[in-house]
Amino acid sequence: MILDSKIPGGSIEEKWTKHKFELKLVNPANKRKFTVIVVGTGLAGASAAASLGELGYNVKSFCIQDSPRRAHSIAAQGGINAAKNYKNDGDSVYRLFYDTVKGGDFRAREANVHRLAENSNLIIDQCVAQGVPFGREYGGLLDNRSFGGTQVSRTFYARGQTGQQLLLGAYQALMRQVAAGKVKMFPRREMMDLVVIDGKARGIIVRNLITGELESHVADAVCLCTGGYGNVYYLSTNAQGSNVTAAFRAYKRGALFANPCYTQIHPTCIPRHGDLQSKLTLMSESLRNDGRIWVPRKAGDTRSPDQIPEEDRYYYLEEKYPSFGNLVPRDVASRNAKQVCDAGLGVGNTKQAVYLDFADAIQRMGVAKITDEDPYKVPMRIFPAIHYTMGGLWVDYDLMSTIPGCFVLGEANFSDHGANRLGASALMQGLSDGYFVIPFTIGGYFAGTKLEKVSESDAAFEDCKKQTEERIHKLLSIKGHRTVNDIHRELGNALAALLTSSNSPKSSLSTLSIVKNLAVATSVKKARLRKAKQSAMTKTSATSVLGNTRATVSHRNSPRNLLPLITSTLLLGATNNERTEFDFEDLASEGCQDQSTMFLRTCPSWKCSTL
Amino acid sequence: MSFLEMLDIVNEEQMKQGKEGFAFDHDCREGICGMCSLVINGMPHGPDHATTTCQLHMRKFKDGDTIVIEPWRAAAFPVIRDCAVDRTAFDRIIQAGGFVSVNTGAAPEASTIPVPKADADRAFDAAACIGCGACVAACKNASAMLFVSAKVSHLSFLPQGKVEAKKRVLAMVAQMDKEGFGNCTNLYECQAACPKGITVDYIAKMNREYLGATVTYAEKVYGKD
């Protein structure tokens, strides 16, 4: 397959303007003849559904939560970047573009990033008009704060809940279109499959999470706005429902996945506190603006932090990176935190944390609630955590995946952040894709594509639904011994350990063995479980990872944990530079909603680096 | 360990024994999505002040305590199963008018309209509502006044939302009544239960706006009767 990114010609500043003009248009009266499915209602999904509805398209919007307002964009804290230059500190569209590309280790698609920087200012205008209560100066004008990886103040914020306020703006715009009859809302639905007819995405199969019924939905295009795959590592800052199933199903139908190795580790997370923890919680990166990160200079220093004098404190970021100090990009901050902890300088019971000292930013974060420690008295302990995935489904400049008619927006695509996303850029990308990119590019697709009429009763829909039913039936008829959470925990932790290690081929092979043996272990009798796992830990032979192994998993009540094994795929694909594939055909349970098992097999390779 | 992690363990044990798990809503587990919804020992979101269920920790209880868990109870929030309830009534209230009518691309430059910081801050205090419905669960009348007033106030404090303020308050209150939420009788239970510290001041503000709108606007829209 030849991947054509369809980046328009011309200088970087002209590409988007030129492209917008060159895209064919759909006559306003004809827009109502097209139906668009939007899966997900986070910043990308809600903004896309609302904007497309405003244009006159018929939109069907799906979310896994009980209300579109609960999508996980809501948890973003710190802010959203824009090149307004309100601080008069030398910011510009080009500088935002430059910082984003540089922060992403020059691996982002530059044309997309420049478009993102151009759109950033429009996003702020739009959100303010919607009533998003951004932080303001006493003069009544908008305030900015600084963020990691940049030396200008360009981040707009709404206290510690910028994501919530932006999402409510998009959600309210969406609700307005629902009231106007242009968007039909389908909450508590999980996307089970993508229906491809004549090579084009023409609909989806969803499961109604209340009744358990499968539903077919027809459309002329499908937009996946379903977020990233961070939860494959078990503990992450993602919500419990962020299960990457939609992207995975699209991948199974032929949409290529790019840069799976690029997983962002966020530097300022509250350290994990035990084995039964279900998720990690961040403190906003903007705290790094107010705080200083340090560890004791000598390993084995057991004094309480307030007893350690200034000269015995190692402010490692300030010493190593004097010009950025504590505001280095996230990957640099995380890597250094890991390094000092690996060197034995870590603090707290687990020795897997560093101190973040700060004075007044605490009240808006309410951290004492989680750790039961008073940050006024002792410095907070922080440690890096899996947070965001830069990789995702491959898209061209129009945000279309390798399946025509299947568009991918926001964190679910791969294009804008390279190998590392700068703080306050995720919100920017989600809203840029939804408000200001897809409304243009989807029109270009409709105007330039012949779409046959299809309906729910067509063979392709019936087949797809039947396959989904069979998959579920197969799963339901397997009686397993372990819960999905249990498997998820073991596998995810193994992958996370690998991810945060130095990624040597040897360690990736041992993780593959764990994966494989986990699969074996779950299909054999419980009594043999421990033995199998022990052997998993010791096998490193490459041959042990090949072959089809089936796992049986019991799972009753957590309908959303349709397993995240996919990223092992992704991760391993990254380290070995080849595509490895999991199939969740079987991960099963009785009497319950969702499940799957995995097959592990390697596939013909393609190089991540060529994308 | 958090309260929901405790429930995870209960459910895992149930599943291992081949029994049905216990259904409850949850998602972000960091106190912002508003999906978790349990009445714990008689209090929506449990005993901790200004804290959602997902941010409640087991260290707030003692060994041997009996913990009583119930769903949100309100006619407008039908129970789906166990402790999962249907809160789409809130979405329909927002659809009635809880937005600013601005199409994508139609916005003026962001700094065109200065907003006094005090107004922006008060709008923000109201906008902090996460739409969890604890206010309804806490109220003996199952009133949604705190939720509705928070959205009405958030938008009417800002110049961008003022244009449609009268129409909005009338439409949202009408929808609230239609959904079957009760009236406010000033018990302040909603304020005590709210995980985001929304105060009943906003209910007073909404009542004031509503009264004004019925006099100056309703006639224009709905006629004299």
Side-chain angles (χ1 to χ4, degrees), chain A residues 191 298 315 396 420 464 471 484 493 583 605:
Chain A
M191 178 173 146
K298 288 191 204 88
Y315 296 96
D396 63 16
N420 174 54
C464 201
R471 208 165 67 233
V484 165
N493 284 341
D583 204 339
S605 63

Short mmCIF file of all heavy atoms in Angstrom, two decimals, chain A residues 191 298 315 396 420 464 471 484 493 583 605:
data_model
loop_
_atom_site.label_atom_id
_atom_site.label_comp_id
_atom_site.label_asym_id
_atom_site.label_seq_id
_atom_site.Cartn_x
_atom_site.Cartn_y
_atom_site.Cartn_z
N MET A 191 -18.95 1.23 20.11
CA MET A 191 -18.77 0.84 18.72
C MET A 191 -18.11 -0.54 18.64
O MET A 191 -17.06 -0.77 19.19
CB MET A 191 -17.89 1.86 17.99
CG MET A 191 -17.63 1.48 16.55
SD MET A 191 -16.79 2.78 15.66
CE MET A 191 -15.78 1.79 14.55
N LYS A 298 21.95 13.05 47.98
CA LYS A 298 22.58 11.74 48.23
C LYS A 298 21.54 10.65 48.32
O LYS A 298 20.47 10.83 48.91
CB LYS A 298 23.34 11.80 49.57
CG LYS A 298 24.60 12.63 49.52
CD LYS A 298 25.42 12.40 50.79
CE LYS A 298 26.35 13.58 51.07
NZ LYS A 298 25.74 14.64 51.87
N TYR A 315 18.17 20.03 42.54
CA TYR A 315 17.17 20.54 41.58
C TYR A 315 17.65 20.14 40.19
O TYR A 315 18.21 20.95 39.46
CB TYR A 315 17.04 22.05 41.72
CG TYR A 315 16.51 22.51 43.05
CD1 TYR A 315 17.37 22.91 44.07
CD2 TYR A 315 15.13 22.54 43.29
CE1 TYR A 315 16.87 23.31 45.30
CE2 TYR A 315 14.63 22.95 44.51
CZ TYR A 315 15.50 23.33 45.51
OH TYR A 315 15.00 23.74 46.72
N ASP A 396 -4.49 11.18 6.37
CA ASP A 396 -3.85 12.09 5.43
C ASP A 396 -4.15 13.54 5.87
O ASP A 396 -4.69 13.78 6.94
CB ASP A 396 -4.32 11.81 3.99
CG ASP A 396 -5.82 12.03 3.79
OD1 ASP A 396 -6.45 12.68 4.66
OD2 ASP A 396 -6.36 11.57 2.78
N ASN A 420 6.33 13.61 20.89
CA ASN A 420 6.01 14.14 22.21
C ASN A 420 5.07 15.32 22.05
O ASN A 420 5.32 16.22 21.26
CB ASN A 420 7.30 14.60 22.92
CG ASN A 420 7.01 15.29 24.23
OD1 ASN A 420 6.33 14.74 25.09
ND2 ASN A 420 7.49 16.52 24.38
N CYS A 464 -21.64 -8.00 8.89
CA CYS A 464 -20.83 -7.40 9.93
C CYS A 464 -21.49 -7.62 11.30
O CYS A 464 -20.83 -7.95 12.28
CB CYS A 464 -20.68 -5.92 9.63
SG CYS A 464 -19.28 -5.17 10.42
N ARG A 471 -18.86 -13.37 17.40
CA ARG A 471 -17.72 -13.10 18.28
C ARG A 471 -18.20 -13.07 19.73
O ARG A 471 -17.59 -13.67 20.62
CB ARG A 471 -17.11 -11.76 17.89
CG ARG A 471 -15.64 -11.65 18.20
CD ARG A 471 -15.00 -10.48 17.49
NE ARG A 471 -15.45 -9.18 17.97
CZ ARG A 471 -15.93 -8.22 17.17
NH1 ARG A 471 -16.04 -8.42 15.89
NH2 ARG A 471 -16.32 -7.07 17.68
N VAL A 484 -11.55 -9.91 33.56
CA VAL A 484 -10.87 -9.07 32.58
C VAL A 484 -9.92 -8.10 33.27
O VAL A 484 -8.79 -7.89 32.85
CB VAL A 484 -11.89 -8.32 31.71
CG1 VAL A 484 -11.22 -7.18 30.97
CG2 VAL A 484 -12.52 -9.28 30.73
N ASN A 493 0.56 -3.95 33.23
CA ASN A 493 1.75 -3.64 34.04
C ASN A 493 3.02 -4.12 33.36
O ASN A 493 4.06 -3.45 33.41
CB ASN A 493 1.62 -4.27 35.43
CG ASN A 493 0.65 -3.48 36.31
OD1 ASN A 493 0.35 -2.31 36.04
ND2 ASN A 493 0.14 -4.11 37.35
N ASP A 583 -5.59 -10.33 18.24
CA ASP A 583 -6.96 -10.50 17.84
C ASP A 583 -7.74 -10.78 19.09
O ASP A 583 -7.39 -11.67 19.84
CB ASP A 583 -7.00 -11.71 16.92
CG ASP A 583 -8.18 -11.62 16.03
OD1 ASP A 583 -9.09 -10.90 16.40
OD2 ASP A 583 -8.17 -12.25 14.98
N SER A 605 5.70 -7.05 7.86
CA SER A 605 6.14 -5.82 8.53
C SER A 605 6.02 -4.59 7.64
O SER A 605 6.13 -4.66 6.43
CB SER A 605 7.57 -5.99 8.97
OG SER A 605 8.36 -6.18 7.83
#
